[in-house]
Structure formats: structure tokens, C-alpha cells
Amino acid sequence: MELNVLNKKGEETGRKVTLSDDVFGIEPNDHAIYLDVKQHLANRRQGTHKSKERSEIAGSTRKLGRQKGGGGARRGDIKSPVLVGGGRVFGPKPRDYSFKLNKKVKALARKSALTYKAKDGAITVIEDFTIETPKTKEFIALLKDLKINGKKPLLVLSEKNDNILLSARNLPKTGVVTVTELNTYKVLDATNLLLTESAVTVLENNFKAKED
């Protein structure tokens, strides 16, 4: 797939970039995408939830009623789960939700997500640029010129650029990441992918290096 390279004003530069079919044109694997997104969301969970069990409740251990003849169940002391303020049965405990996922599956998932974006025509390639000083207005003007303002774009850079990151930080629907920070969840969550020329090269080289 060939895409025109645009400048900051949304004008064609006369150059074209050919997106590799090995990354942007594979047969998508939905199950791999599911597993990668599931792992990403699981890793974000703190897992600090906790409820007190019967043995952890502060209260008297005195038996409230006699064993038989009360006309009801044998509920024991005031910490019984059947009473208000008692312990909780099978309540949540702190745990680690993260799980292992093979690198090949993660790579397949990311290439599948990129392929979906390419098929939907949701990828724009822009020439490498920089912002002299952090200015949100300048970044908004960039999105307007590229005709993706009001959507949920994700700008992918080949390397970290603090001025660009700070310029886009106040925009709630806009994300800026480097190639190494790109994952399946972020690709799918964005409505448009905005790739710099160098980011395309680095992205394809990284996938090639992992396969080798």
C-alpha cells in the first residue's frame, strides 16, 4: 500500500511511502488481538481489592443463641456472614491479574491491528517535524490542516519529542507515543493513526528484527 507523505499543513510533499504487507497487509487474527488487549488491560489492574472474612472482623465471639430449639439456623457469634456487619464469604482478595503472552502472539496482534487501520484508510503519513516550543494551539492547527481534528488521533513518533508531547498533552482525545510504546490497545482505541516517515521505517524494522 502506498500513501502520500503530507507536511504539517496537510499538503502533499510529492513523496510516497510504501507500507510493508508483512506489517500492514497480513491476514488479521482476531483471537491474537483479543489476547493482547486482555493482557494489556489485566496488567493495568491494581488488584488491591480486599474484603474482611469472618476471622478478620472485630467483635465478640460469644455464641448468640443456643444450639437447638431456636427455630432457626445455628449462626454462631456476631461475626457470622449471615448477620449485618459480619464477615464476607468468598470475598475478593489481593491478587496479580497479569499473565504471560508469547512475543509472537503479541507481534501478530499488533500487525493485525495495524492491518485493520490500513484497510479502513485510517493511516496518515506525515513528514518528520518538530515544535520549537510547547504550544497546544500549534498542535490543534496541525490536526485541522490534516483534517483529523475532532477525532481520536494517535501520533506515532520514531523517538521521544518532549515539545510535541507537551503540546498534545492537554487534548483529551489525542495521544502521542513512540514506536516502542505502541501497542494493540492504543492502535484500536484511536480512530486515526498519524505516522511520521521515520516512525514507519522504525516500526517495520522492529517487526523484522523480532522475526529474525
Coordinates of all heavy atoms in Angstrom, one line a residue, residues 150-199:
G150 N -11.1 16.8 15.9 CA -12.3 16.3 16.4 C -12.5 14.8 16.4 O -13.5 14.3 17.0
K151 N -11.5 14.1 15.9 CA -11.5 12.6 16.0 C -10.6 12.2 17.2 O -10.3 13.0 18.1 CB -11.0 12.0 14.7 CG -11.9 12.4 13.5 CD -11.4 11.8 12.2 CE -12.3 12.2 11.0 NZ -11.9 11.6 9.8
K152 N -10.1 11.0 17.1 CA -9.3 10.5 18.2 C -8.0 10.0 17.6 O -7.7 8.8 17.5 CB -10.0 9.3 18.9 CG -9.5 9.0 20.3 CD -10.4 8.0 21.0 CE -9.9 7.8 22.4 NZ -10.7 6.8 23.1
P153 N -7.1 10.9 17.2 CA -5.8 10.5 16.6 C -4.8 10.0 17.5 O -4.8 10.4 18.7 CB -5.4 11.8 15.9 CG -5.9 12.9 16.8 CD -7.2 12.4 17.4
L154 N -3.9 9.2 17.0 CA -2.7 8.8 17.8 C -1.5 9.1 16.9 O -1.3 8.5 15.8 CB -2.8 7.3 18.1 CG -1.6 6.7 18.8 CD1 -1.5 7.3 20.2 CD2 -1.7 5.2 18.9
L155 N -0.6 10.0 17.4 CA 0.6 10.3 16.7 C 1.7 9.4 17.1 O 2.0 9.3 18.3 CB 1.0 11.8 17.0 CG 2.3 12.3 16.4 CD1 2.3 12.2 14.9 CD2 2.6 13.7 16.9
V156 N 2.3 8.7 16.1 CA 3.4 7.8 16.4 C 4.7 8.4 15.9 O 4.9 8.7 14.8 CB 3.2 6.4 15.8 CG1 4.3 5.4 16.2 CG2 1.8 5.9 16.2
L157 N 5.7 8.6 16.9 CA 7.0 9.2 16.6 C 8.0 8.1 16.6 O 7.9 7.0 17.3 CB 7.3 10.3 17.6 CG 6.3 11.4 17.8 CD1 6.7 12.3 18.9 CD2 6.2 12.2 16.5
S158 N 9.1 8.3 15.9 CA 10.2 7.3 15.9 C 11.0 7.4 17.2 O 11.6 6.4 17.7 CB 11.2 7.6 14.7 OG 11.7 8.9 14.8
E159 N 11.1 8.6 17.8 CA 11.7 8.8 19.1 C 11.0 9.9 19.9 O 10.2 10.6 19.3 CB 13.2 9.2 18.9 CG 13.4 10.4 18.1 CD 14.9 10.7 17.8 OE1 15.7 9.8 18.0 OE2 15.2 11.8 17.3
K160 N 11.3 10.0 21.2 CA 10.6 10.9 22.1 C 10.9 12.3 21.7 O 12.0 12.7 21.4 CB 11.0 10.6 23.5 CG 10.2 11.4 24.5 CD 10.6 11.0 25.9 CE 9.8 11.8 27.0 NZ 10.2 11.4 28.3
N161 N 9.9 13.1 21.7 CA 10.0 14.6 21.5 C 9.1 15.3 22.5 O 7.9 15.3 22.5 CB 9.5 14.9 20.1 CG 9.8 16.4 19.7 OD1 9.4 17.3 20.5 ND2 10.5 16.6 18.6
D162 N 9.8 15.9 23.5 CA 9.1 16.5 24.6 C 8.2 17.6 24.2 O 7.0 17.8 24.8 CB 10.1 17.0 25.7 CG 10.8 15.8 26.4 OD1 10.2 14.7 26.5 OD2 11.9 16.0 26.9
N163 N 8.6 18.4 23.3 CA 7.8 19.6 22.9 C 6.4 19.1 22.2 O 5.4 19.7 22.5 CB 8.5 20.5 21.9 CG 9.6 21.3 22.6 OD1 9.6 21.4 23.8 ND2 10.6 21.8 21.9
I164 N 6.5 18.1 21.4 CA 5.3 17.6 20.8 C 4.4 16.9 21.8 O 3.2 17.1 21.8 CB 5.7 16.6 19.7 CG1 6.4 17.3 18.5 CG2 4.4 15.9 19.1 CD1 6.8 16.3 17.4
L165 N 5.0 16.2 22.7 CA 4.3 15.5 23.8 C 3.5 16.6 24.7 O 2.4 16.4 25.0 CB 5.2 14.7 24.6 CG 4.5 13.9 25.8 CD1 3.5 12.9 25.3 CD2 5.6 13.2 26.6
L166 N 4.2 17.6 25.0 CA 3.6 18.6 25.9 C 2.5 19.4 25.1 O 1.6 19.9 25.7 CB 4.7 19.6 26.4 CG 5.7 19.0 27.4 CD1 6.8 20.0 27.7 CD2 5.0 18.6 28.7
S167 N 2.7 19.6 23.8 CA 1.7 20.3 23.1 C 0.4 19.6 22.9 O -0.6 20.2 22.8 CB 2.3 20.6 21.7 OG 3.5 21.4 21.7
A168 N 0.5 18.3 23.0 CA -0.7 17.4 22.8 C -1.3 16.9 24.1 O -2.4 16.3 24.1 CB -0.4 16.3 21.9
R169 N -0.6 17.2 25.2 CA -1.0 16.6 26.5 C -2.3 17.0 27.0 O -3.0 16.3 27.6 CB 0.1 16.9 27.5 CG -0.1 16.2 28.8 CD 1.1 16.3 29.8 NE 1.4 17.7 30.1 CZ 2.3 18.1 30.9 NH1 3.1 17.2 31.4 NH2 2.5 19.4 31.1
N170 N -2.7 18.3 26.7 CA -4.0 18.8 27.2 C -5.2 18.4 26.3 O -6.3 18.8 26.7 CB -3.9 20.4 27.3 CG -3.0 20.8 28.4 OD1 -2.8 20.1 29.4 ND2 -2.4 22.0 28.3
L171 N -4.9 17.8 25.2 CA -6.0 17.4 24.3 C -6.5 16.0 24.8 O -5.8 15.0 24.6 CB -5.6 17.4 22.9 CG -5.0 18.7 22.4 CD1 -4.5 18.5 20.9 CD2 -6.1 19.8 22.4
P172 N -7.7 15.9 25.3 CA -8.2 14.6 25.9 C -8.3 13.4 24.9 O -8.2 12.3 25.3 CB -9.6 15.0 26.5 CG -10.0 16.2 25.7 CD -8.8 16.9 25.3
K173 N -8.6 13.7 23.6 CA -8.8 12.6 22.7 C -7.5 12.4 21.8 O -7.6 11.6 20.9 CB -10.0 12.9 21.8 CG -11.3 13.0 22.5 CD -12.4 13.2 21.5 CE -13.8 13.3 22.3 NZ -14.9 13.5 21.3
T174 N -6.4 13.0 22.1 CA -5.2 12.9 21.3 C -4.1 12.2 22.1 O -3.9 12.5 23.2 CB -4.8 14.3 20.8 OG1 -5.8 14.9 20.1 CG2 -3.6 14.1 19.9
G175 N -3.4 11.2 21.4 CA -2.3 10.5 22.0 C -1.0 10.7 21.2 O -1.1 10.8 20.0
V176 N 0.1 10.7 21.9 CA 1.4 10.8 21.3 C 2.3 9.7 21.9 O 2.4 9.7 23.1 CB 2.1 12.1 21.5 CG1 3.4 12.1 20.8 CG2 1.2 13.2 20.9
V177 N 2.8 8.8 21.1 CA 3.6 7.7 21.6 C 4.8 7.5 20.6 O 4.8 8.0 19.5 CB 2.8 6.4 21.7 CG1 1.7 6.5 22.7 CG2 2.3 5.9 20.3
T178 N 5.8 6.8 21.1 CA 6.9 6.4 20.2 C 6.6 5.0 19.7 O 5.7 4.3 20.2 CB 8.2 6.4 21.0 OG1 8.2 5.5 22.1 CG2 8.5 7.8 21.6
V179 N 7.4 4.6 18.8 CA 7.2 3.2 18.2 C 7.3 2.2 19.3 O 6.5 1.2 19.3 CB 8.2 3.0 17.1 CG1 8.2 1.5 16.6 CG2 8.0 3.9 15.9
T180 N 8.2 2.3 20.2 CA 8.4 1.3 21.2 C 7.2 1.3 22.2 O 7.0 0.3 22.9 CB 9.7 1.5 22.0 OG1 9.7 2.9 22.5 CG2 10.9 1.4 21.1
E181 N 6.5 2.4 22.3 CA 5.3 2.4 23.2 C 4.0 2.0 22.6 O 3.0 1.8 23.3 CB 5.2 3.8 23.8 CG 6.3 4.3 24.6 CD 6.3 5.8 24.9 OE1 5.6 6.6 24.1 OE2 6.9 6.3 25.9
L182 N 4.1 1.8 21.3 CA 2.8 1.4 20.6 C 2.4 0.0 20.9 O 3.2 -0.9 20.9 CB 3.1 1.5 19.1 CG 1.9 1.4 18.1 CD1 0.9 2.6 18.4 CD2 2.3 1.4 16.7
N183 N 1.1 -0.2 21.2 CA 0.6 -1.5 21.5 C -0.8 -1.7 20.8 O -1.3 -0.7 20.3 CB 0.5 -1.8 23.0 CG -0.4 -0.7 23.7 OD1 -1.5 -0.4 23.3 ND2 0.1 -0.2 24.8
T184 N -1.3 -2.9 20.8 CA -2.5 -3.2 20.1 C -3.7 -2.4 20.7 O -4.5 -1.9 19.9 CB -2.8 -4.7 20.3 OG1 -1.7 -5.5 19.8 CG2 -4.1 -5.1 19.5
Y185 N -3.8 -2.2 22.0 CA -4.9 -1.5 22.6 C -4.9 0.0 22.1 O -6.0 0.5 21.7 CB -4.8 -1.5 24.1 CG -5.9 -0.7 24.8 CD1 -7.1 -1.3 25.0 CD2 -5.7 0.6 25.3 CE1 -8.1 -0.7 25.7 CE2 -6.7 1.3 25.9 CZ -7.9 0.6 26.1 OH -8.9 1.3 26.8
K186 N -3.7 0.6 22.0 CA -3.7 2.0 21.6 C -4.0 2.2 20.1 O -4.7 3.2 19.7 CB -2.3 2.6 21.9 CG -2.0 2.8 23.4 CD -0.6 3.4 23.6 CE -0.4 3.6 25.1 NZ 1.0 4.1 25.4
V187 N -3.6 1.2 19.3 CA -3.9 1.3 17.9 C -5.4 1.2 17.7 O -6.0 1.9 16.9 CB -3.2 0.1 17.1 CG1 -3.7 0.1 15.7 CG2 -1.7 0.3 17.2
L188 N -6.1 0.2 18.4 CA -7.5 0.0 18.2 C -8.3 1.2 18.8 O -9.4 1.5 18.3 CB -7.9 -1.3 18.8 CG -7.3 -2.6 18.2 CD1 -7.8 -3.8 18.9 CD2 -7.8 -2.7 16.7
D189 N -7.8 1.7 19.9 CA -8.5 2.8 20.6 C -8.6 4.1 19.8 O -9.5 4.9 20.0 CB -7.9 3.0 21.9 CG -8.7 4.0 22.8 OD1 -9.9 3.8 22.9 OD2 -8.1 4.9 23.4
A190 N -7.6 4.3 18.9 CA -7.5 5.5 18.1 C -8.4 5.4 16.8 O -8.5 4.3 16.3 CB -6.1 5.8 17.7
T191 N -9.0 6.5 16.4 CA -9.7 6.5 15.2 C -8.8 6.7 14.0 O -9.1 6.2 12.9 CB -10.8 7.6 15.2 OG1 -10.2 8.8 15.4 CG2 -11.8 7.3 16.3
N192 N -7.7 7.4 14.2 CA -6.8 7.7 13.1 C -5.3 7.5 13.6 O -5.0 8.0 14.7 CB -6.9 9.1 12.6 CG -8.2 9.3 11.8 OD1 -9.3 9.4 12.4 ND2 -8.2 9.3 10.5
L193 N -4.5 6.9 12.8 CA -3.1 6.7 13.1 C -2.3 7.8 12.3 O -2.4 7.8 11.1 CB -2.6 5.3 12.8 CG -2.8 4.2 13.8 CD1 -2.2 2.9 13.4 CD2 -2.4 4.6 15.2
L194 N -1.5 8.6 13.0 CA -0.7 9.6 12.3 C 0.8 9.2 12.5 O 1.3 9.3 13.6 CB -0.9 11.0 12.9 CG -0.3 12.2 12.3 CD1 -0.7 12.3 10.8 CD2 -0.7 13.4 13.0
L195 N 1.4 8.6 11.4 CA 2.7 8.1 11.5 C 3.7 9.1 10.8 O 3.4 9.6 9.7 CB 2.8 6.7 10.8 CG 1.8 5.6 11.2 CD1 2.0 4.4 10.4 CD2 2.1 5.3 12.7
T196 N 4.8 9.3 11.5 CA 5.9 10.1 10.8 C 6.6 9.2 9.9 O 6.6 7.9 10.1 CB 6.8 10.7 11.8 OG1 7.5 9.7 12.6 CG2 6.1 11.7 12.8
E197 N 7.3 9.7 8.9 CA 8.1 8.9 8.0 C 9.1 8.0 8.6 O 9.1 6.8 8.3 CB 8.8 9.9 7.0 CG 8.0 10.4 5.8 CD 8.8 11.1 4.8 OE1 9.1 12.3 5.1 OE2 9.2 10.5 3.8
S198 N 9.8 8.6 9.6 CA 10.8 7.7 10.3 C 10.2 6.7 11.1 O 10.7 5.6 11.3 CB 11.7 8.6 11.1 OG 11.0 9.4 12.0
A199 N 9.0 7.0 11.7 CA 8.3 6.0 12.5 C 7.9 4.8 11.7 O 8.0 3.6 12.2 CB 7.1 6.6 13.2

